Amino acid sequence: MALARVVENPHLVAESLSHVGLDLEHQKLTDQAVGYFRQALSASEALGDHQQAAFMLNHLGEALWRTGRLIEARNALTGALDLLASVADDPYLHAQVEGNLGNVAYEEGDLDMAAALWQSALNSMDQLDVVFDKIGLLNNLGGLAYAQADYGRALAFFQESLELAQELGDERGIQEALRNLILAIGRHDEVVGSEQLCAGRR
């Protein structure tokens, strides 16, 4: 990044800012990542690179969501959708933005909106034949079904998430899906057992 500034190459500066932000995000230094994402966004906007600006808005929105700044996160993510609508659309990025907007909606307590956004993102990933991103979306939808006491539906989502994680060899995804499955199976069996007990008494 320093060299890019020395040679006055704004495209490399923007790209370097983006990579530093992504690296900090990967290290879970989210507050620091937000600063670099904002700089990368400004640099992309100055270059008139709308596609890159939308990409940075998505990452900025996700980072802001992770730090609890929901209003700022929503503004960044809706800004990304607006940009994608004004240029040649990127279906994969569009689906990622929808997934992140679903996370924000969930934190805001709008569960119906969260479910609709996650399902839309999942449908897009299906069409694009993208497997990895589906694991998290399925876990989100399963968690929402679990919270709504729809344990049968939760089981179906968690089971599919587990199968995809196993297919990819994603150990973290496997462990998360197994934990969720164990919880959902326990609650599902409790409900079924209680219903059978009540039916027997009648």
Side-chain angles (χ1 to χ4, degrees), residues 86-151:
S86 69
V87 298
D89 197 9
D90 180 336
Y92 177 62
L93 180 55
H94 191 281
Q96 286 188 316
V97 175
E98 282 191 325
N100 284 327
L101 272 172
N103 295 339
V104 173
Y106 181 84
E107 294 294 336
E108 292 174 336
D110 192 343
L111 303 187
D112 289 339
M113 179 60 70
L117 286 163
W118 286 336
Q119 188 63 59
S120 178
L122 183 63
N123 293 342
S124 295
M125 295 302 178
D126 272 333
Q127 293 173 4
L128 295 166
D129 199 25
V130 174
V131 177
F132 180 77
D133 295 74
K134 290 172 59 177
I135 295 172
L137 291 167
L138 287 164
N139 274 324
N140 287 348
L141 287 164
L144 185 54
Y146 182 92
Q148 294 171 330
D150 190 347
Y151 302 118

Side-chain angles (χ1 to χ4, degrees), residues 129-195:
D129 199 25
V130 174
V131 177
F132 180 77
D133 295 74
K134 290 172 59 177
I135 295 172
L137 291 167
L138 287 164
N139 274 324
N140 287 348
L141 287 164
L144 185 54
Y146 182 92
Q148 294 171 330
D150 190 347
Y151 302 118
R153 193 158 180 260
L155 280 172
F157 281 127
F158 293 147
Q159 183 63 46
E160 187 177 354
S161 176
L162 175 61
E163 290 170 0
L164 291 178
Q166 289 173 329
E167 178 184 328
L168 293 180
D170 176 10
E171 290 299 325
R172 181 177 177 182
I174 291 170
Q175 293 302 317
E176 183 177 1
L178 283 172
R179 283 194 299 270
N180 291 335
L181 268 173
I182 290 168
L183 290 173
I185 289 170
R187 293 296 294 135
H188 181 265
D189 289 349
E190 286 177 16
V191 170
V192 171
S194 177
E195 289 174 349

Side-chain angles (χ1 to χ4, degrees), residues 10-77:
H11 293 278
L12 284 178
V13 170
E15 186 177 353
S16 299
L17 288 165
S18 170
H19 285 304
V20 172
L22 292 169
D23 185 56
L24 289 167
E25 184 180 47
H26 183 70
Q27 296 178 66
K28 301 190 185 306
L29 300 172
T30 313
D31 282 319
Q32 295 178 46
V34 165
Y36 279 95
F37 289 151
R38 289 193 191 281
Q39 292 180 66
L41 173 61
S42 295
S44 299
E45 289 174 336
L47 291 167
D49 189 340
H50 299 304
Q51 199 80 14
Q52 181 65 13
F55 176 80
M56 294 319 309
L57 280 166
N58 179 51
H59 279 283
L60 176 60
E62 183 178 4
L64 289 166
W65 161 68
R66 291 189 186 281
T67 55
R69 288 176 270 184
L70 299 182
I71 295 175
E72 291 178 80
R74 176 173 290 283
N75 289 339
L77 293 167

